[in-house]
Amino acid sequence: MAAIGHDREVTIPPIHLHDTRRRAVVPFEPIREGRAGIYTCGPTVYGPQHLGNMRSQLMADLLRRVLEAAGYEVTHVINITDVGHLVSDADEGDDKVEAAAARTGETVAEITERWTEQWRSDRRRVGCLEPHLNPRATDHIAGQIEMVRTLEAKGHTYVIDDGVYFDTATFPRYADFAGLNLDDLEATGRVENVADKRHPADFALWKLTPPGVTRLQEWDSPWGRGFPGWHVECSVMADDALGHPIDIHTGGVDHIRVHHTNEIAQSECAFDLHPWVRIWMHHEFLDVGGEKVSKSKGHVLVVDSLVERGIDPLAFRYFFLQAHYRQQQAFTFELVEAAGTALRRLTQHAVAARDEVGGDVSGTGSARAEQLRGEFWAALADDLNAPRALAIASTVARDGELGAADRWSLLADFDRVLGFGLADAPATGSGEGAVVDERVAARLAERQEARAAKDFATADRIRDELAADGWEIVDTPDGPTVRPR
Ligand code: AMP
Ligand code: ZN
């Protein structure tokens, strides 16, 4: 039993989630009564975060909102990787941020700040709530050195010219999480490798700067100057924020074989516990097919790519909810446009019901309404079945048997997870942005001029200023307008 209505107690089945480690949907059993800690692997801030990356944000946001709606006090931690993520998973090649600085001639700070802001702004535009904590790897270097020292003292490491390595032979469970065959190097994706490693699966905890070289980001350590490995960063930031063990850790399926396998090895050895994480949740990829999404290919598919085509960023949220997070989802602009149309319809119905009853939902609660409410929350409690929940919301929006008060009561309740901002959507018939004041309209016109002059830096600055004032720019076929965020 949990409080999930605004003013009512509704029975919600216990939440069940898919755990990658156990390869099964399992009940969520919090470590601390009534609380839930979530750690989500965040962006590597050397370039734009694309729409695929946004799927990882949307999935974690959905999880957090469902747990909060079910009454848990959630702490959601998403890190920023601003050092240590190498170009290759096999401990070879340069740090991605260092390589970007060498390529563009910009400073590390310029690069990491720009792309951190782009990530923050874009995840907000697709309706994600702010993480409770958003630690940066470079702010946790001392903790990372400490963890490597702990692992060293327990005999899990060895030092070679290239750095300090985790000796996977000292952790017999190493292959279990991802079901790896460690004799099959092709399968582990670690063929290209640092020559002196004892085993190809061993991974860098601390990379040493070669003699005579100065790096843009490096720190002193007991083993010499260098920088931390990507995996150790996440273990330390997660532990600093949430302690151990941890309730839920999320990330993309690409992280299972290397990054999360390594996070588990070092954390379980350092903290002497198993399992370190109760539930590991991994989302499948956004498949962009012919569309270019990769950062290495120049044209990166980002939230602005949608806006340039007149698509509301929240249409991407609706589109995300149309597929289960464990299914791959095929991206096309047409599919997101169609999701935008469905979202507009849902919003119109919701706003019409809201305004008909003046937001007053007293006297609601017909048997049919409560049945639909129960089905909606049951779908989400069943490993976050968003497509089923969204279908119920869409049924409610146009259901002739329900009165307006019931419809608004349900949709306002559902929107705590759907995240479309229905309570603040502009009134029916007044058009988007009807209450825009002159100052905002002037700023919008200035932005249009900047864009026409291809001064995208100014255009982006104005967009961010408007966002800070609570306005989101929405491009429509009649030109851009704004609406409250
Ligand atoms: P990165 O910035 O590369 O460290 O990636 C941040 C997050 O985005 C990770 O959790 C990845 O698993 C996830 N990710 C990367 N590409 C995609 C994609 N095409 N679809 C879904 N998630 C992705
Ligand atoms: Zn991570």
Side-chain angles (χ1 to χ4, degrees):
M1 182 79 93
I4 59 166
H6 298 302
D7 53 359
R8 68 190 81 229
E9 290 276 319
V10 182
T11 306
I12 178 171
I15 292 176
H16 284 66
L17 302 168
H18 185 267
D19 176 23
T20 305
R21 182 176 63 86
R22 284 173 278 180
R23 295 164 176 74
V25 174
V26 298
F28 171 63
E29 286 158 346
I31 293 161
R32 285 183 296 162
E33 180 78 26
R35 290 168 183 245
I38 308 172
Y39 184 85
T40 296
C41 286
T44 308
V45 286
Y46 71 105
Q49 284 283 301
H50 52 65
L51 291 176
N53 300 133
M54 285 302 125
R55 195 170 199 222
S56 73
Q57 298 303 306
L58 285 160
M59 181 270 166
D61 185 70
L62 173 65
L63 169 68
R64 171 213 173 143
R65 285 174 182 263
V66 169
L67 289 170
E68 282 181 346
Y72 289 100
E73 191 185 314
V74 177
T75 305
H76 190 192
V77 185
I78 312 179
N79 76 290
I80 303 281
T81 299
D82 55 356
V83 70
H85 195 163
L86 301 185
V87 173
S88 140
D89 260 349
D91 299 308
E92 280 222 315
D94 210 345
D95 174 302
K96 290 188 182 191
V97 172
E98 193 98 4
R103 204 170 48 241
T104 63
E106 291 173 290
T107 66
V108 164
E110 279 165 347
I111 292 170
T112 57
E113 276 164 30
R114 167 158 2 102
W115 299 120
T116 300
E117 275 319 303
Q118 182 257 342
W119 172 78
R120 287 206 176 115
S121 153
D122 278 8
R123 65 186 298 289
R124 245 176 248 144
R125 292 158 89 194
V126 296
C128 294
L129 300 172
E130 298 302 309
H132 300 100
L133 293 163
N134 192 200
R136 285 190 312 182
T138 51
D139 290 335
H140 291 259
I141 299 294
Q144 291 157 32
I145 290 173
E146 202 44 50
M147 183 178 239
V148 181
R149 282 165 69 108
T150 303
L151 290 169
E152 185 173 54
K154 292 183 174 186
H156 292 291
T157 66
Y158 58 89
V159 181
I160 53 179
D161 286 348
D162 177 76
V164 184
Y165 276 77
F166 184 93
D167 183 355
T168 53
T170 67
F171 184 58
R173 279 196 302 275
Y174 185 79
D176 295 355
F177 179 66
L180 297 177
N181 173 358
L182 292 179
D183 298 329
D184 183 350
L185 302 186
E186 294 274 356
T188 61
R190 300 175 225 194
V191 182
E192 301 286 319
N193 234 309
V194 171
D196 301 341
K197 281 197 213 178
R198 291 185 190 161
H199 189 281
D202 295 351
F203 56 92
L205 295 164
W206 187 265
K207 292 275 279 187
L208 289 165
T209 305
V213 174
T214 306
R215 303 179 58 85
L216 297 174
Q217 298 201 94
E218 55 181 359
W219 295 264
D220 286 326
S221 82
W223 311 276
R225 254 179 117 58
F227 62 98
W230 171 38
H231 319 301
V232 81
E233 296 175 2
C234 274
S235 289
V236 168
M237 285 186 275
D239 201 55
D240 284 353
L242 299 169
H244 52 262
I246 289 172
D247 286 308
I248 305 173
H249 193 315
T250 78
V253 287
D254 56 325
H255 286 343
I256 298 172
R257 301 164 81 81
V258 180
H259 183 48
H260 290 166
T261 286
N262 292 349
E263 276 190 46
I264 290 170
Q266 68 210 359
S267 301
E268 298 200 351
C269 290
F271 306 142
D272 287 319
L273 91 177
H274 174 72
W276 168 50
V277 169
R278 290 280 180 90
I279 298 186
W280 281 94
M281 295 181 73
H282 291 99
H283 63 83
E284 259 297 347
F285 262 40
L286 181 72
D287 175 8
V288 287
E291 317 281 356
K292 290 178 183 153
V293 69
S294 146
K295 290 168 202 171
S296 57
K297 289 186 197 154
H299 298 289
V300 180
L301 206 48
V302 290
V303 171
D304 269 342
S305 318
L306 302 174
V307 174
E308 277 156 20
R309 293 189 173 223
I311 302 173
D312 178 352
L314 282 181
F316 188 70
R317 184 178 182 90
Y318 194 103
F319 168 75
F320 162 75
L321 294 169
Q322 287 176 310
H324 193 271
Y325 75 90
R326 286 197 285 124
Q327 289 170 333
Q328 270 197 21
Q329 187 174 31
F331 174 92
T332 65
F333 283 108
E334 290 69 28
L335 286 170
V336 183
E337 260 157 17
T341 305
L343 172 60
R344 270 195 300 282
R345 279 204 205 103
L346 178 73
T347 307
Q348 276 161 10
H349 285 293
V351 165
R354 179 194 73 192
D355 294 349
E356 191 179 322
V357 296
D360 177 11
V361 293
S362 54
T364 60
S366 67
R368 177 166 170 71
E370 293 320 305
Q371 185 195 334
L372 288 162
R373 195 191 300 275
E375 284 174 14
F376 178 88
W377 292 109
L380 291 170
D382 179 12
D383 193 26
L384 313 181
N385 194 330
R388 187 147 37 104
L390 193 59
I392 294 165
S394 148
T395 304
V396 165
R398 61 194 80 193
D399 191 304
E401 285 178 44
L402 293 172
D406 265 342
R407 271 181 280 132
W408 175 240
S409 159
L410 290 171
L411 292 172
D413 186 23
F414 297 173
D415 201 37
R416 290 184 297 148
V417 164
L418 299 179
F420 298 137
L422 298 177
D424 300 321
T428 318
S430 59
E432 272 174 327
V435 284
V436 177
D437 69 32
E438 273 172 39
R439 194 187 56 84
V440 173
R443 296 296 284 154
L444 197 58
E446 252 177 78
R447 177 171 176 271
Q448 272 312 92
E449 274 170 33
R451 278 169 62 118
K454 300 221 178 314
D455 178 5
F456 295 114
T458 304
D460 285 353
R461 184 171 45 75
I462 297 173
R463 184 195 62 211
D464 292 345
E465 286 167 4
L466 284 171
D469 288 344
W471 294 101
E472 178 176 19
I473 298 175
V474 193
D475 282 338
T476 72
D478 304 326
T481 179
V482 291
R483 68 165 180 213
R485 285 154 56 82

